[in-house]
Amino acid sequence: MMQTYAYAALAFSAFTSATILPGTSEAAFAAFLYQYPKQLYGAWFCAALFNGLGSMVSYWLGRLLPDKKRPSEKVLRHLERWGVWSLLLAWVPIIGDALPIAAGWLRLNWFKCLIILLIGKALRYGVIAWSLVYLV
């Protein structure tokens, strides 16, 4: 039963961390793995999925922005140059929250954005998990 609550807390933390709300999904992910080390793949899937879905909320919010409320020029130049592949960096502090918003504002294909976001998030949590297992 406690494990179910732990998954819910991990999902909530991962989801909110990917939006403009503050969050600490890395700490929640590490704490989950410390408490339930045999649930590595389930935690990895949960964190990546909900963090990716949180970024998609930012993407859809970007679609609602009026034309005169442009994201920063730096973020726009990056997205215009690299397209959806830029979203692999949506986990990076500071610019990471702006990338999905800008992708939505630019009306990049939502399905491609979703796939790239999920891949990037899965890679990120995979590196964290690997670090916890092999370096700690």
Side-chain angles (χ1 to χ4, degrees):
M1 189 62 156
M2 287 303 292
Q3 189 173 333
T4 303
Y5 291 123
Y7 268 113
L10 176 60
F12 180 78
S13 177
F15 184 86
T16 57
S17 293
T19 65
I20 57 173
L21 298 172
T24 56
S25 66
E26 296 88 353
F29 183 64
F32 185 99
L33 290 179
Y34 179 77
Q35 187 70 31
Y36 304 103
K38 293 184 180 183
Q39 297 298 315
L40 173 88
Y41 294 111
W44 181 37
F45 178 79
C46 177
L49 175 65
F50 281 91
N51 202 248
L53 292 175
S55 287
M56 285 304 292
V57 167
S58 296
Y59 169 90
W60 290 108
L61 288 173
R63 291 197 121 197
L64 298 175
L65 286 176
D67 285 342
K68 53 186 160 183
K69 294 283 186 182
R70 297 171 53 95
S72 77
E73 288 299 319
K74 182 179 181 180
V75 171
L76 284 174
R77 278 195 313 274
H78 184 77
L79 265 170
E80 288 170 347
R81 180 174 181 197
W82 298 102
V84 295
W85 295 105
S86 298
L87 295 175
L88 287 173
L89 299 176
W91 57 270
V92 174
I94 300 170
I95 68 161
D97 290 339
L99 288 172
I101 293 169
W105 188 81
L106 289 170
R107 307 291 195 267
L108 298 181
N109 180 284
W110 72 268
F111 187 73
K112 288 180 183 177
C113 290
L114 173 64
I115 298 302
I116 297 299
L117 283 166
L118 290 174
I119 290 169
K121 304 298 183 156
L123 290 172
R124 168 193 183 200
Y125 288 108
V127 168
I128 293 169
W130 180 86
S131 298
L132 290 171
V133 170
Y134 294 105
L135 299 179
V136 176

